[in-house]
mmCIF file of all heavy atoms in Angstrom:
data_model
loop_
_atom_site.group_PDB
_atom_site.id
_atom_site.type_symbol
_atom_site.label_atom_id
_atom_site.label_comp_id
_atom_site.label_asym_id
_atom_site.label_seq_id
_atom_site.Cartn_x
_atom_site.Cartn_y
_atom_site.Cartn_z
ATOM 1 N N MET A 1 0.844 -1.189 0.000
ATOM 2 C CA MET A 1 0.000 0.000 0.000
ATOM 3 C C MET A 1 0.879 1.238 0.000
ATOM 4 O O MET A 1 1.830 1.321 0.770
ATOM 5 C CB MET A 1 -0.870 0.000 1.250
ATOM 6 C CG MET A 1 -1.845 -1.170 1.288
ATOM 7 S SD MET A 1 -2.997 -1.050 2.660
ATOM 8 C CE MET A 1 -1.846 -1.103 4.030
ATOM 9 N N SER A 2 0.550 2.211 -0.829
ATOM 10 C CA SER A 2 1.375 3.404 -0.912
ATOM 11 C C SER A 2 0.824 4.525 -0.038
ATOM 12 O O SER A 2 1.548 5.415 0.354
ATOM 13 C CB SER A 2 1.479 3.862 -2.365
ATOM 14 O OG SER A 2 0.197 3.914 -2.944
ATOM 15 N N GLU A 3 -0.465 4.506 0.267
ATOM 16 C CA GLU A 3 -1.057 5.521 1.134
ATOM 17 C C GLU A 3 -1.041 5.039 2.576
ATOM 18 O O GLU A 3 -1.299 3.864 2.822
ATOM 19 C CB GLU A 3 -2.520 5.778 0.727
ATOM 20 C CG GLU A 3 -2.696 6.440 -0.615
ATOM 21 C CD GLU A 3 -2.116 7.840 -0.638
ATOM 22 O OE1 GLU A 3 -2.408 8.599 0.301
ATOM 23 O OE2 GLU A 3 -1.360 8.165 -1.569
ATOM 24 N N PRO A 4 -0.766 5.956 3.534
ATOM 25 C CA PRO A 4 -0.887 5.532 4.930
ATOM 26 C C PRO A 4 -2.315 5.068 5.209
ATOM 27 O O PRO A 4 -3.262 5.574 4.613
ATOM 28 C CB PRO A 4 -0.566 6.795 5.721
ATOM 29 C CG PRO A 4 0.096 7.725 4.773
ATOM 30 C CD PRO A 4 -0.409 7.369 3.401
ATOM 31 N N LEU A 5 -2.419 4.123 6.098
ATOM 32 C CA LEU A 5 -3.717 3.587 6.500
ATOM 33 C C LEU A 5 -4.478 4.675 7.265
ATOM 34 O O LEU A 5 -3.970 5.222 8.236
ATOM 35 C CB LEU A 5 -3.434 2.390 7.405
ATOM 36 C CG LEU A 5 -4.475 1.329 7.644
ATOM 37 C CD1 LEU A 5 -4.958 0.723 6.319
ATOM 38 C CD2 LEU A 5 -3.866 0.234 8.523
ATOM 39 N N ALA A 10 -8.431 1.535 9.184
ATOM 40 C CA ALA A 10 -7.778 0.690 10.194
ATOM 41 C C ALA A 10 -8.794 -0.046 11.066
ATOM 42 O O ALA A 10 -8.537 -1.162 11.524
ATOM 43 C CB ALA A 10 -6.850 1.540 11.067
ATOM 44 N N LEU A 13 -10.025 -3.502 9.698
ATOM 45 C CA LEU A 13 -8.866 -4.397 9.622
ATOM 46 C C LEU A 13 -8.462 -4.864 11.022
ATOM 47 O O LEU A 13 -8.190 -6.047 11.239
ATOM 48 C CB LEU A 13 -7.674 -3.688 8.965
ATOM 49 C CG LEU A 13 -7.703 -3.533 7.445
ATOM 50 C CD1 LEU A 13 -6.546 -2.655 6.984
ATOM 51 C CD2 LEU A 13 -7.612 -4.900 6.761
ATOM 52 N N ALA A 14 -8.440 -3.930 11.972
ATOM 53 C CA ALA A 14 -8.092 -4.290 13.351
ATOM 54 C C ALA A 14 -9.105 -5.289 13.911
ATOM 55 O O ALA A 14 -8.739 -6.215 14.638
ATOM 56 C CB ALA A 14 -8.024 -3.036 14.230
ATOM 57 N N PHE A 17 -8.198 -8.671 12.559
ATOM 58 C CA PHE A 17 -7.038 -9.235 13.256
ATOM 59 C C PHE A 17 -7.439 -9.714 14.655
ATOM 60 O O PHE A 17 -6.931 -10.715 15.143
ATOM 61 C CB PHE A 17 -5.890 -8.215 13.324
ATOM 62 C CG PHE A 17 -5.165 -8.050 12.021
ATOM 63 C CD1 PHE A 17 -4.975 -6.802 11.453
ATOM 64 C CD2 PHE A 17 -4.648 -9.154 11.353
ATOM 65 C CE1 PHE A 17 -4.295 -6.649 10.243
ATOM 66 C CE2 PHE A 17 -3.968 -9.018 10.141
ATOM 67 C CZ PHE A 17 -3.794 -7.769 9.586
ATOM 68 N N ALA A 18 -8.354 -8.991 15.295
ATOM 69 C CA ALA A 18 -8.821 -9.409 16.623
ATOM 70 C C ALA A 18 -9.476 -10.790 16.548
ATOM 71 O O ALA A 18 -9.326 -11.611 17.453
ATOM 72 C CB ALA A 18 -9.804 -8.386 17.189
ATOM 73 N N LEU A 20 -8.613 -13.134 14.666
ATOM 74 C CA LEU A 20 -7.560 -14.141 14.481
ATOM 75 C C LEU A 20 -6.622 -14.235 15.688
ATOM 76 O O LEU A 20 -5.695 -15.045 15.693
ATOM 77 C CB LEU A 20 -6.735 -13.802 13.234
ATOM 78 C CG LEU A 20 -7.497 -13.809 11.907
ATOM 79 C CD1 LEU A 20 -6.631 -13.235 10.796
ATOM 80 C CD2 LEU A 20 -7.943 -15.227 11.550
ATOM 81 N N ALA A 21 -6.891 -13.417 16.703
ATOM 82 C CA ALA A 21 -5.989 -13.316 17.850
ATOM 83 C C ALA A 21 -6.284 -14.353 18.925
ATOM 84 O O ALA A 21 -6.034 -14.121 20.104
ATOM 85 C CB ALA A 21 -6.054 -11.905 18.438
ATOM 86 N N PRO A 23 -5.775 -18.643 19.488
ATOM 87 C CA PRO A 23 -5.137 -19.800 18.847
ATOM 88 C C PRO A 23 -6.126 -20.812 18.254
ATOM 89 O O PRO A 23 -5.900 -21.309 17.147
ATOM 90 C CB PRO A 23 -4.328 -20.438 19.978
ATOM 91 C CG PRO A 23 -4.128 -19.363 20.979
ATOM 92 C CD PRO A 23 -5.319 -18.461 20.883
ATOM 93 N N LEU A 26 -7.721 -19.272 15.171
ATOM 94 C CA LEU A 26 -6.746 -19.202 14.084
ATOM 95 C C LEU A 26 -6.587 -20.573 13.434
ATOM 96 O O LEU A 26 -6.499 -20.687 12.204
ATOM 97 C CB LEU A 26 -5.409 -18.695 14.637
ATOM 98 C CG LEU A 26 -4.292 -18.442 13.626
ATOM 99 C CD1 LEU A 26 -4.724 -17.426 12.570
ATOM 100 C CD2 LEU A 26 -3.030 -17.948 14.341
ATOM 101 N N ARG A 27 -6.565 -21.633 14.241
ATOM 102 C CA ARG A 27 -6.462 -22.992 13.685
ATOM 103 C C ARG A 27 -7.723 -23.340 12.898
ATOM 104 O O ARG A 27 -7.648 -23.976 11.843
ATOM 105 C CB ARG A 27 -6.216 -24.002 14.800
ATOM 106 C CG ARG A 27 -4.804 -23.886 15.374
ATOM 107 C CD ARG A 27 -4.621 -24.795 16.554
ATOM 108 N NE ARG A 27 -4.804 -26.192 16.173
ATOM 109 C CZ ARG A 27 -5.310 -27.128 16.982
ATOM 110 N NH1 ARG A 27 -5.714 -26.809 18.206
ATOM 111 N NH2 ARG A 27 -5.423 -28.349 16.568
ATOM 112 N N ASN A 30 -7.520 -21.582 9.669
ATOM 113 C CA ASN A 30 -6.530 -22.262 8.834
ATOM 114 C C ASN A 30 -7.114 -23.524 8.190
ATOM 115 O O ASN A 30 -6.849 -23.809 7.011
ATOM 116 C CB ASN A 30 -5.309 -22.595 9.708
ATOM 117 C CG ASN A 30 -4.216 -23.309 8.949
ATOM 118 O OD1 ASN A 30 -4.058 -24.515 9.102
ATOM 119 N ND2 ASN A 30 -3.473 -22.599 8.121
ATOM 120 N N GLN A 34 -7.429 -23.990 4.164
ATOM 121 C CA GLN A 34 -6.751 -25.089 3.470
ATOM 122 C C GLN A 34 -7.737 -25.992 2.738
ATOM 123 O O GLN A 34 -7.409 -26.557 1.691
ATOM 124 C CB GLN A 34 -5.930 -25.914 4.451
ATOM 125 C CG GLN A 34 -4.732 -25.145 4.974
ATOM 126 C CD GLN A 34 -3.657 -26.061 5.512
ATOM 127 O OE1 GLN A 34 -3.830 -27.279 5.537
ATOM 128 N NE2 GLN A 34 -2.562 -25.490 5.945
ATOM 129 N N LEU A 85 -9.125 -11.550 2.828
ATOM 130 C CA LEU A 85 -7.769 -12.033 3.110
ATOM 131 C C LEU A 85 -6.743 -11.197 2.362
ATOM 132 O O LEU A 85 -5.672 -10.896 2.880
ATOM 133 C CB LEU A 85 -7.619 -13.494 2.674
ATOM 134 C CG LEU A 85 -8.393 -14.520 3.464
ATOM 135 C CD1 LEU A 85 -7.794 -15.888 3.257
ATOM 136 C CD2 LEU A 85 -8.393 -14.164 4.933
ATOM 137 N N ARG A 89 -3.602 -9.319 3.943
ATOM 138 C CA ARG A 89 -2.220 -9.566 3.497
ATOM 139 C C ARG A 89 -1.573 -8.258 3.038
ATOM 140 O O ARG A 89 -0.407 -8.014 3.315
ATOM 141 C CB ARG A 89 -2.193 -10.596 2.364
ATOM 142 C CG ARG A 89 -2.337 -12.025 2.853
ATOM 143 C CD ARG A 89 -1.833 -13.017 1.812
ATOM 144 N NE ARG A 89 -2.483 -12.837 0.525
ATOM 145 C CZ ARG A 89 -3.634 -13.422 0.167
ATOM 146 N NH1 ARG A 89 -4.251 -14.242 0.997
ATOM 147 N NH2 ARG A 89 -4.148 -13.202 -1.016
ATOM 148 N N LEU A 92 -0.059 -6.241 5.611
ATOM 149 C CA LEU A 92 1.140 -6.850 6.209
ATOM 150 C C LEU A 92 2.303 -6.879 5.228
ATOM 151 O O LEU A 92 3.282 -7.583 5.438
ATOM 152 C CB LEU A 92 0.832 -8.285 6.655
ATOM 153 C CG LEU A 92 -0.187 -8.440 7.765
ATOM 154 C CD1 LEU A 92 -0.504 -9.908 7.997
ATOM 155 C CD2 LEU A 92 0.351 -7.819 9.045
ATOM 156 N N THR A 93 2.174 -6.138 4.130
ATOM 157 C CA THR A 93 3.216 -6.141 3.107
ATOM 158 C C THR A 93 3.991 -4.831 3.178
ATOM 159 O O THR A 93 3.401 -3.771 3.025
ATOM 160 C CB THR A 93 2.578 -6.319 1.715
ATOM 161 O OG1 THR A 93 1.815 -7.526 1.727
ATOM 162 C CG2 THR A 93 3.634 -6.411 0.636
ATOM 163 N N MET B 1 0.297 -22.863 3.169
ATOM 164 C CA MET B 1 0.771 -23.917 4.058
ATOM 165 C C MET B 1 -0.004 -25.194 3.792
ATOM 166 O O MET B 1 -1.220 -25.168 3.693
ATOM 167 C CB MET B 1 0.545 -23.511 5.509
ATOM 168 C CG MET B 1 1.369 -22.279 5.896
ATOM 169 S SD MET B 1 1.257 -21.958 7.661
ATOM 170 C CE MET B 1 -0.491 -21.593 7.804
ATOM 171 N N SER B 2 0.709 -26.308 3.679
ATOM 172 C CA SER B 2 0.043 -27.560 3.365
ATOM 173 C C SER B 2 -0.307 -28.353 4.624
ATOM 174 O O SER B 2 -1.210 -29.166 4.610
ATOM 175 C CB SER B 2 0.920 -28.395 2.434
ATOM 176 O OG SER B 2 2.221 -28.481 2.961
ATOM 177 N N GLU B 3 0.396 -28.122 5.723
ATOM 178 C CA GLU B 3 0.090 -28.811 6.969
ATOM 179 C C GLU B 3 -0.870 -27.968 7.795
ATOM 180 O O GLU B 3 -0.721 -26.744 7.836
ATOM 181 C CB GLU B 3 1.373 -29.027 7.784
ATOM 182 C CG GLU B 3 2.351 -30.001 7.168
ATOM 183 C CD GLU B 3 1.778 -31.409 7.105
ATOM 184 O OE1 GLU B 3 1.240 -31.864 8.133
ATOM 185 O OE2 GLU B 3 1.834 -32.032 6.034
ATOM 186 N N PRO B 4 -1.830 -28.612 8.488
ATOM 187 C CA PRO B 4 -2.681 -27.823 9.393
ATOM 188 C C PRO B 4 -1.808 -27.157 10.458
ATOM 189 O O PRO B 4 -0.769 -27.687 10.839
ATOM 190 C CB PRO B 4 -3.601 -28.874 10.024
ATOM 191 C CG PRO B 4 -3.509 -30.077 9.161
ATOM 192 C CD PRO B 4 -2.157 -30.036 8.503
ATOM 193 N N LEU B 5 -2.246 -26.013 10.880
ATOM 194 C CA LEU B 5 -1.535 -25.258 11.909
ATOM 195 C C LEU B 5 -1.642 -26.015 13.235
ATOM 196 O O LEU B 5 -2.744 -26.342 13.673
ATOM 197 C CB LEU B 5 -2.225 -23.900 12.008
ATOM 198 C CG LEU B 5 -1.528 -22.704 12.606
ATOM 199 C CD1 LEU B 5 -0.211 -22.434 11.895
ATOM 200 C CD2 LEU B 5 -2.455 -21.494 12.478
ATOM 201 N N ALA B 10 0.175 -22.080 16.437
ATOM 202 C CA ALA B 10 -0.905 -21.084 16.440
ATOM 203 C C ALA B 10 -0.704 -20.043 17.546
ATOM 204 O O ALA B 10 -1.085 -18.883 17.383
ATOM 205 C CB ALA B 10 -2.260 -21.765 16.604
ATOM 206 N N GLU B 11 -0.097 -20.453 18.636
ATOM 207 C CA GLU B 11 0.045 -19.578 19.813
ATOM 208 C C GLU B 11 0.793 -18.272 19.493
ATOM 209 O O GLU B 11 0.234 -17.181 19.689
ATOM 210 C CB GLU B 11 0.746 -20.370 20.924
ATOM 211 C CG GLU B 11 0.587 -19.811 22.312
ATOM 212 C CD GLU B 11 -0.826 -20.014 22.874
ATOM 213 O OE1 GLU B 11 -1.345 -21.151 22.840
ATOM 214 O OE2 GLU B 11 -1.393 -19.009 23.325
ATOM 215 N N LEU B 13 1.505 -16.949 16.585
ATOM 216 C CA LEU B 13 0.826 -16.238 15.495
ATOM 217 C C LEU B 13 -0.372 -15.469 16.042
ATOM 218 O O LEU B 13 -0.596 -14.308 15.690
ATOM 219 C CB LEU B 13 0.359 -17.219 14.417
ATOM 220 C CG LEU B 13 1.419 -17.757 13.457
ATOM 221 C CD1 LEU B 13 0.826 -18.854 12.582
ATOM 222 C CD2 LEU B 13 1.981 -16.639 12.582
ATOM 223 N N ALA B 14 -1.162 -16.121 16.894
ATOM 224 C CA ALA B 14 -2.326 -15.457 17.484
ATOM 225 C C ALA B 14 -1.894 -14.239 18.307
ATOM 226 O O ALA B 14 -2.555 -13.201 18.295
ATOM 227 C CB ALA B 14 -3.117 -16.436 18.346
ATOM 228 N N PHE B 17 -1.218 -11.445 15.893
ATOM 229 C CA PHE B 17 -2.470 -10.853 15.416
ATOM 230 C C PHE B 17 -3.113 -9.992 16.504
ATOM 231 O O PHE B 17 -3.691 -8.944 16.208
ATOM 232 C CB PHE B 17 -3.438 -11.939 14.928
ATOM 233 C CG PHE B 17 -3.065 -12.509 13.585
ATOM 234 C CD1 PHE B 17 -2.941 -13.879 13.391
ATOM 235 C CD2 PHE B 17 -2.849 -11.675 12.498
ATOM 236 C CE1 PHE B 17 -2.591 -14.405 12.154
ATOM 237 C CE2 PHE B 17 -2.498 -12.190 11.249
ATOM 238 C CZ PHE B 17 -2.366 -13.560 11.083
ATOM 239 N N ALA B 18 -2.968 -10.412 17.763
ATOM 240 C CA ALA B 18 -3.512 -9.614 18.868
ATOM 241 C C ALA B 18 -2.843 -8.241 18.911
ATOM 242 O O ALA B 18 -3.496 -7.230 19.197
ATOM 243 C CB ALA B 18 -3.322 -10.348 20.198
ATOM 244 N N LEU B 20 -1.897 -6.580 16.439
ATOM 245 C CA LEU B 20 -2.416 -5.779 15.318
ATOM 246 C C LEU B 20 -3.902 -5.473 15.462
ATOM 247 O O LEU B 20 -4.490 -4.810 14.605
ATOM 248 C CB LEU B 20 -2.173 -6.523 13.999
ATOM 249 C CG LEU B 20 -0.704 -6.764 13.629
ATOM 250 C CD1 LEU B 20 -0.601 -7.695 12.434
ATOM 251 C CD2 LEU B 20 0.004 -5.446 13.334
ATOM 252 N N ALA B 21 -4.506 -5.953 16.545
ATOM 253 C CA ALA B 21 -5.957 -5.853 16.708
ATOM 254 C C ALA B 21 -6.392 -4.545 17.362
ATOM 255 O O ALA B 21 -7.428 -4.483 18.016
ATOM 256 C CB ALA B 21 -6.462 -7.056 17.510
ATOM 257 N N LEU B 26 -2.235 -0.655 14.559
ATOM 258 C CA LEU B 26 -2.181 -1.107 13.166
ATOM 259 C C LEU B 26 -1.693 0.026 12.265
ATOM 260 O O LEU B 26 -0.879 -0.197 11.360
ATOM 261 C CB LEU B 26 -3.571 -1.583 12.734
ATOM 262 C CG LEU B 26 -3.692 -2.209 11.349
ATOM 263 C CD1 LEU B 26 -2.750 -3.409 11.207
ATOM 264 C CD2 LEU B 26 -5.133 -2.640 11.083
ATOM 265 N N ARG B 27 -2.157 1.251 12.517
ATOM 266 C CA ARG B 27 -1.690 2.395 11.717
ATOM 267 C C ARG B 27 -0.213 2.668 11.977
ATOM 268 O O ARG B 27 0.541 2.983 11.055
ATOM 269 C CB ARG B 27 -2.530 3.636 12.041
ATOM 270 C CG ARG B 27 -3.955 3.515 11.482
ATOM 271 C CD ARG B 27 -4.809 4.683 11.915
ATOM 272 N NE ARG B 27 -4.283 5.928 11.408
ATOM 273 C CZ ARG B 27 -4.374 7.097 12.064
ATOM 274 N NH1 ARG B 27 -4.946 7.154 13.263
ATOM 275 N NH2 ARG B 27 -3.873 8.186 11.529
ATOM 276 N N ASN B 30 1.699 0.122 10.136
ATOM 277 C CA ASN B 30 1.647 0.450 8.712
ATOM 278 C C ASN B 30 2.644 1.564 8.361
ATOM 279 O O ASN B 30 3.315 1.509 7.314
ATOM 280 C CB ASN B 30 0.214 0.869 8.376
ATOM 281 C CG ASN B 30 0.030 1.244 6.923
ATOM 282 O OD1 ASN B 30 -0.042 2.420 6.597
ATOM 283 N ND2 ASN B 30 -0.003 0.266 6.030
ATOM 284 N N GLN B 34 5.719 1.010 5.763
ATOM 285 C CA GLN B 34 5.845 1.805 4.544
ATOM 286 C C GLN B 34 7.143 2.595 4.505
ATOM 287 O O GLN B 34 7.710 2.834 3.432
ATOM 288 C CB GLN B 34 4.654 2.763 4.421
ATOM 289 C CG GLN B 34 3.362 2.035 4.125
ATOM 290 C CD GLN B 34 2.318 2.953 3.499
ATOM 291 O OE1 GLN B 34 2.557 4.127 3.305
ATOM 292 N NE2 GLN B 34 1.180 2.394 3.176
ATOM 293 N N LEU B 85 6.505 -11.105 9.264
ATOM 294 C CA LEU B 85 5.392 -10.714 8.381
ATOM 295 C C LEU B 85 5.097 -11.824 7.387
ATOM 296 O O LEU B 85 3.942 -12.099 7.065
ATOM 297 C CB LEU B 85 5.747 -9.438 7.605
ATOM 298 C CG LEU B 85 5.865 -8.165 8.405
ATOM 299 C CD1 LEU B 85 5.732 -6.965 7.505
ATOM 300 C CD2 LEU B 85 4.810 -8.119 9.486
ATOM 301 N N ARG B 89 1.547 -13.545 6.751
ATOM 302 C CA ARG B 89 0.906 -13.572 5.437
ATOM 303 C C ARG B 89 0.636 -15.016 5.009
ATOM 304 O O ARG B 89 -0.420 -15.306 4.443
ATOM 305 C CB ARG B 89 1.784 -12.881 4.384
ATOM 306 C CG ARG B 89 1.718 -11.363 4.440
ATOM 307 C CD ARG B 89 2.178 -10.739 3.127
ATOM 308 N NE ARG B 89 3.503 -11.175 2.761
ATOM 309 C CZ ARG B 89 4.642 -10.589 3.156
ATOM 310 N NH1 ARG B 89 4.594 -9.543 3.931
ATOM 311 N NH2 ARG B 89 5.806 -11.050 2.765
ATOM 312 N N LEU B 92 -2.453 -16.443 6.196
ATOM 313 C CA LEU B 92 -3.655 -15.837 5.606
ATOM 314 C C LEU B 92 -3.785 -16.184 4.130
ATOM 315 O O LEU B 92 -4.562 -15.564 3.416
ATOM 316 C CB LEU B 92 -3.572 -14.311 5.754
ATOM 317 C CG LEU B 92 -3.617 -13.767 7.169
ATOM 318 C CD1 LEU B 92 -3.384 -12.275 7.172
ATOM 319 C CD2 LEU B 92 -4.953 -14.108 7.814
ATOM 320 N N THR B 93 -3.012 -17.163 3.683
ATOM 321 C CA THR B 93 -3.038 -17.545 2.283
ATOM 322 C C THR B 93 -3.785 -18.872 2.127
ATOM 323 O O THR B 93 -3.372 -19.871 2.712
ATOM 324 C CB THR B 93 -1.602 -17.664 1.734
ATOM 325 O OG1 THR B 93 -0.931 -16.426 1.960
ATOM 326 C CG2 THR B 93 -1.605 -17.980 0.258
#
Side-chain angles (χ1 to χ4, degrees):
Chain A
M1 296 187 298
S2 49
E3 292 296 312
L5 200 56
L13 283 173
F17 284 127
L20 298 171
L26 185 58
R27 288 175 61 212
N30 180 256
Q34 291 201 357
L85 292 200
R89 281 200 305 272
L92 295 174
T93 303
Chain B
M1 296 188 296
S2 50
E3 292 295 312
L5 201 56
E11 199 72 51
L13 283 172
F17 285 128
L20 297 171
L26 185 57
R27 289 175 62 213
N30 180 257
Q34 290 201 359
L85 292 200
R89 282 200 304 272
L92 294 174
T93 304

